[in-house]
């Protein structure tokens, strides 16, 4: 038999005390986390106090009931204290009420192209509204201050780390930037199918895999851009069967393989499915009218596409860098799609001409985009042509001959381009920098787009037809050999700087009586002597800054002109007599 000594008893007691101390220390350092807890808020604005008064030190799943306001939403955004460990947030039994001031401020910069900075502030309000102010940041961009008022949790979880959020039962739409850049977010649950999702609501939620959009009717720009894990249903299909307009950059860089489009789809915005590298096929419905620039650019698995005949304008870069695009056949170097001449593909290194086949109705923007453009000397258009896209023949410096058939309705605005993920425009109009010397436009033409004949330094004469209604900004700017211009009585709008820099333009010009809109600097840097102004009801669009409408020595006001637009004589530095 063994007998315990006092020394052995003392040693055992010391060990027990040491172990107890260690347990207490560990509990202090790593408090036990309860799996789930429900917190009822009886008075809006007291959520933090109620949680602090609870018996639970911390928890992974948090359900909140009752009424909450901006103070409570702001607390949920902190992610500190007892809610630091919360991953799954259930707000299904919550009612959002006004009060409590601002609950979130989100800032970001766009340095890829515009150099714009944004500060966005969110408030709770009964009715949704947006207020925007801005000022120049002296860096080539603007500082935007945007305020959202909403009862739809706009911006509530932006940049936060919740993994699952159950939305309130009475929330019927997802507000702007609600889950903006929530990189840990996996799932959002709704009591009812969501019909409205506002701009940038889920942008860059890189771990979210699925969301039901089958009842979605309204979608904001960039709503799911950068959601690189978003695959949709089991067969990786995005169901947009209720959505008639898909906005810019809506699903850029997502992981869907298939898309179900609405049979009533009218418009797909710029970069809508930009770099969706898993997308394999699309079937676009008849009735679709517009596909935006770079809409499916970089969809490297896209092999099957149908373009309905209702799409009247097509840009090669809508589907740039896709396998499907390389399957389109070319006729004499011209790629055609339905009734659209899409792009010239031959790599010519000697003077050549192009004849567009009969039946073609549109020339796509940036039609001549390869290095052979400088060798193009003449173009023959068919009698069926109706539209010429922006930038179509821009930079074809030796192009000296082209016919403009009766039936042509519009020469469109300068073509957009891409830089750093953004879409922007340049001064590259349809015939900018060409070698045309004389232009006779048909009576069916209604509009001449921005910068259409910009820097056509050989252009000596133009005939503007009766029936023409609009001349875009910079349309004939720096046509330095142009000596005269006669506006038709039908003209309604003359854009900013339309004839600026036409240094040979002299003599007199008449502004007809039915003109309703005039841009600033229309005749800036010309040598006009006289302007005869007959417009009876025009306003001044001063977007081009400190330039007057006219650069002439004399202005004659018609007898029937009862009033002049505000700023009519501003910056008219050469004016001597009225």
């Amino acid at each position: 038999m063994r007998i315990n000594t006092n020394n052995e008893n003392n040693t055992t007691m010391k060990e027990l005390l040491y172990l107890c101390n260690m347990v207490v220390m560990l509990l202090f350092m790593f408090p036990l986390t309860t799996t789930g807890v429900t917190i009822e808020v009886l008075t809006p604005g007291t959520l933090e106090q109620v949680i602090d008064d609870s018996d639970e030190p911390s928890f992974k799943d948090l359900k909140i009931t009752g009424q909450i306001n901006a103070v409570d939403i702001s607390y949920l955004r902190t992610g500190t204290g007892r809610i630091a460990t919360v991953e799954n947030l259930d707000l299904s039994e919550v009612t959002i009420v006004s009060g409590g001031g601002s609950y979130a401020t989100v800032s970001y910069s766009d340095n890829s192209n515009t150099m714009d900075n944004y500060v966005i502030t969110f408030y709770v309000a009964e009715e949704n509204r947006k207020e925007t102010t801005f000022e120049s940041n002296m860096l080539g961009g603007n500082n935007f201050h945007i305020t959202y008022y909403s009862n739809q949790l706009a911006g509530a979880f932006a940049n936060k780390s919740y993994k699952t959020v159950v939305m309130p039962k009475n929330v019927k739409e997802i507000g702007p930037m609600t889950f903006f850049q929530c990189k840990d977010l996996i799932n959002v649950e709704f009591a009812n199918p969501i019909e409205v999702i506002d701009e940038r609501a889920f942008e860059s939620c890189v771990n979210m895999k699925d969301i039901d959009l089958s009842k979605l009717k309204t979608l904001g720009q960039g709503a799911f851009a950068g959601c690189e894990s978003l695959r949709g249903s089991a067969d990786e299909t995005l169901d947009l069967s209720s959505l008639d307009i898909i906005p810019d950059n809506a699903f850029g860089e997502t992981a869907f393989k298939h898309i179900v489009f609405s049979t009533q789809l009218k418009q797909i915005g710029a970069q809508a499915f930009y770099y969706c590298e898993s997308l394999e096929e699309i079937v676009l419905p008849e009735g679709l009218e517009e596909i935006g620039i770079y809409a499916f650019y970089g969809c490297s698995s896209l092999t099957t596409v149908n373009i309905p005949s209702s799409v009247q304008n097509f840009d090669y870069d809508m589907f740039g860098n896709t396998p499907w695009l390389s399957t389109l056949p070319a006729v004499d170097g011209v790629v055609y799609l339905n009734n659209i001449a899409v792009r010239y593909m031959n790599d010519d290194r000697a003077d050549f001409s192009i004849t567009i086949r009969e039946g073609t109705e549109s020339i796509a923007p940036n039609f001549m985009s390869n290095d052979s453009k400088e060798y193009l000397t003449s173009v023959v258009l068919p009698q069926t042509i109706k539209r010429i896209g922006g930038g179509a023949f821009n930079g074809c410096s030796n192009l000296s001959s082209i016919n403009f058939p009766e039936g042509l309705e519009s020469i469109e605005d300068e073509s957009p381009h891409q830089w750093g993920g953004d879409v922007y425009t340049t001064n590259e109009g349809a015939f900018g920098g060409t070698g045309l010397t004389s232009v006779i436009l048909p009576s069916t033409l209604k509009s001449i787009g921005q910068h259409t004949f910009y820097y056509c330094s050989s252009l000596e004469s133009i005939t503007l037809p009766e029936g023409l209604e609009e001349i875009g900004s910079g349309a004939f700017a720096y046509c330095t050999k142009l000596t005269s211009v006669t506006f038709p009585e039908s003209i309604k709008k003359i854009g900013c700087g339309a004839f600026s820099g036409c240094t040979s333009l002299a003599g007199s010009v008449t502004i007809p009586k039915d003109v309703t809109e005039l841009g600033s600097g229309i005749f800036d840097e010309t040598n006009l002597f006289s302007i005869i102004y007959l417009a009876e009801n025009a306003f001044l669009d001063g977007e081009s800054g400190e330039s007057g409408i006219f650069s002439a020595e004399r202005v004659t006001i018609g007898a029937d002109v009862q009033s002049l637009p505000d700023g009519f004589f501003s910056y008219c530095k050469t004016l001597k007599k009225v």
Side-chain angles (χ1 to χ4, degrees):
M1 177 181 293
R2 182 178 178 182
I3 299 175
N4 293 327
T5 66
N6 288 335
N7 287 338
E8 289 174 328
N9 286 333
N10 289 337
T11 300
T12 303
M13 289 299 295
K14 288 179 179 178
E15 290 174 347
L16 288 173
L17 287 172
Y18 175 77
L19 289 172
C20 288
N21 286 333
M22 287 297 295
V23 169
V24 171
M25 185 179 297
L26 288 170
L27 286 173
F28 178 79
M29 294 175 62
F30 305 102
L32 293 174
T33 299
T34 303
T35 300
V37 66
T38 298
I39 298 293
E40 183 180 12
V41 180
L42 299 177
T43 304
T46 63
L47 174 61
E48 182 177 9
Q49 178 184 338
V50 174
I51 289 179
D52 286 344
D53 291 343
S54 70
D55 296 329
E56 305 295 343
S58 60
F59 22 83
K60 180 179 178 181
D61 303 330
L62 173 61
K63 180 174 182 178
I64 301 171
T65 64
Q67 295 185 335
I68 65 173
N69 65 9
V71 173
D72 304 311
I73 300 171
S74 179
Y75 170 63
L76 288 173
R77 286 184 52 78
T78 64
T80 59
R82 291 193 174 186
I83 64 171
T85 56
V86 174
E87 295 180 357
N88 307 308
L89 181 63
D90 186 345
L91 302 177
S92 58
E93 303 296 331
V94 157
T95 299
I96 302 166
V97 297
S98 58
S102 164
Y103 60 83
T105 298
V106 178
S107 303
Y108 66 94
S109 297
D110 177 8
N111 296 324
S112 58
N113 177 32
T114 60
M115 303 299 290
D116 292 333
N117 301 311
Y118 296 84
V119 177
I120 305 171
T121 307
F122 299 89
Y123 292 83
V124 176
E126 294 301 321
E127 295 184 0
N128 297 339
R129 72 180 191 275
K130 175 182 178 181
E131 296 176 355
T132 302
T133 61
F134 67 93
E135 69 277 341
S136 172
N137 59 20
M138 310 303 290
L139 297 172
N142 294 302
N143 294 328
F144 287 90
H145 304 274
I146 301 173
T147 304
Y148 285 107
Y149 299 87
S150 168
N151 60 358
Q152 308 294 341
L153 291 173
F157 307 104
N159 300 312
K160 298 307 168 183
S161 57
Y162 295 108
K163 291 184 176 180
T164 299
V165 176
V166 182
M167 296 295 284
K169 291 180 180 178
N170 62 341
V171 169
K172 298 181 180 180
E173 64 183 73
I174 304 298
M177 301 181 74
T178 297
F179 297 97
F180 176 74
Q181 294 186 355
C182 290
K183 299 187 184 299
D184 295 320
L185 186 68
I186 296 173
N187 186 39
V188 178
E189 299 178 13
F190 312 100
N192 301 296
I194 291 296
E195 296 186 355
V196 178
I197 297 177
D198 217 320
E199 59 188 0
R200 312 187 81 167
F202 292 92
E203 181 177 325
S204 297
C205 292
V206 295
N207 283 301
M208 190 169 69
K209 293 179 172 60
D210 186 20
I211 188 169
D212 181 8
L213 302 179
S214 59
K215 304 298 182 184
L216 187 66
K217 295 183 178 179
T218 303
L219 184 65
Q221 291 188 9
F224 293 93
C227 294
E228 59 190 42
S229 299
L230 193 60
R231 299 180 182 277
S233 58
D235 61 350
E236 302 179 53
T237 297
L238 172 63
D239 187 346
L240 300 178
S241 55
S242 298
L243 188 63
D244 296 344
I245 295 177
I246 300 173
D248 293 353
N249 205 21
F251 297 96
E253 299 178 272
T254 53
F256 300 102
K257 288 186 176 180
H258 313 281
I259 304 172
V260 177
F261 292 106
S262 166
T263 57
Q264 304 301 311
L265 182 65
K266 299 299 181 187
Q267 178 181 333
I268 298 175
Q271 296 181 300
F273 299 94
Y274 180 81
Y275 276 105
C276 290
E277 295 181 344
S278 298
L279 187 61
E280 297 176 352
E281 63 174 354
I282 55 171
V283 179
L284 299 171
E286 191 64 44
L288 175 66
E289 297 172 356
E290 181 180 344
I291 302 175
I293 186 71
Y294 303 110
F296 295 92
Y297 188 93
C299 295
S300 56
S301 299
L302 188 60
T303 58
T304 303
V305 178
N306 82 300
I307 305 293
S309 59
S310 53
V311 174
Q312 295 299 308
N313 213 349
F314 185 90
D315 189 322
Y316 191 85
D317 284 330
M318 291 172 182
F319 291 85
N321 285 350
T322 64
W324 169 75
L325 199 59
S326 64
T327 67
L328 296 179
V331 179
D332 295 329
V334 178
V335 174
Y336 292 94
L337 178 66
N338 299 334
N339 56 6
I340 303 168
V342 175
R343 181 155 293 190
Y344 186 75
M345 299 299 292
N346 285 0
D347 188 17
D348 295 286
R349 287 294 183 270
D351 289 354
F352 70 100
S353 62
I354 295 175
T355 298
I356 303 297
R357 71 184 181 187
E358 195 65 35
T360 302
E361 295 185 0
S362 295
I363 307 294
N366 302 313
F367 174 78
M368 292 295 302
S369 289
N370 60 15
D371 291 340
S372 64
K373 67 165 61 180
E374 64 182 284
Y375 299 97
L376 179 64
T377 60
S378 66
V379 176
V380 178
L381 299 177
Q383 295 300 310
T384 51
I385 207 76
K386 294 180 180 179
R387 288 168 296 277
I388 299 175
F393 298 96
N394 186 273
C396 296
S397 55
N398 289 305
L399 178 61
S400 59
S401 174
I402 185 171
N403 63 311
F404 294 97
E406 287 292 325
L408 178 65
E409 297 172 358
S410 65
I411 304 173
E412 298 179 348
D413 283 350
E414 57 192 277
S415 182
H417 293 263
Q418 181 206 19
W419 180 26
D422 288 332
V423 173
Y424 71 104
T425 56
T426 65
N427 294 338
E428 298 181 359
F431 298 94
T434 59
L436 296 173
T437 59
S438 177
V439 171
I440 300 175
L441 298 170
S443 63
T444 51
L445 187 69
K446 299 298 182 184
S447 64
I448 300 172
Q450 297 176 8
H451 299 103
T452 292
F453 297 98
Y454 185 78
Y455 262 107
C456 288
S457 56
S458 298
L459 187 62
E460 298 176 358
S461 67
I462 56 169
T463 301
L464 302 177
E466 192 61 48
L468 180 67
E469 297 179 354
E470 179 177 341
I471 299 174
S473 299
F476 296 91
Y478 298 99
C479 294
T480 54
K481 291 187 178 180
L482 188 64
T483 58
S484 65
V485 59
T486 300
F487 294 110
E489 293 296 319
S490 57
I491 199 74
K492 301 289 191 298
K493 176 182 178 180
I494 306 172
C496 295
F499 295 87
S500 63
C502 294
T503 53
S504 297
L505 194 58
S508 177
V509 169
T510 299
I511 306 297
K513 66 181 183 65
D514 290 332
V515 170
T516 57
E517 183 176 341
L518 293 166
S520 59
I522 293 175
F523 299 107
D524 207 13
E525 298 180 62
T526 65
N527 286 292
L528 286 174
F529 174 74
S530 172
I531 302 288
I532 301 172
Y533 184 82
L534 304 179
E536 297 177 5
N537 189 29
F539 75 92
L540 172 62
D541 175 9
E543 68 181 66
S544 67
E546 296 185 359
S547 295
I549 300 178
F550 311 123
S551 178
E553 294 185 14
R554 177 178 297 180
V555 173
T556 301
I557 308 298
D560 294 330
V561 177
Q562 300 299 313
S563 63
L564 297 174
D566 291 341
F568 184 80
F569 291 112
S570 298
Y571 307 107
C572 293
K573 299 175 182 178
T574 61
L575 185 61
K576 296 180 180 179
K577 183 177 181 181
V578 177

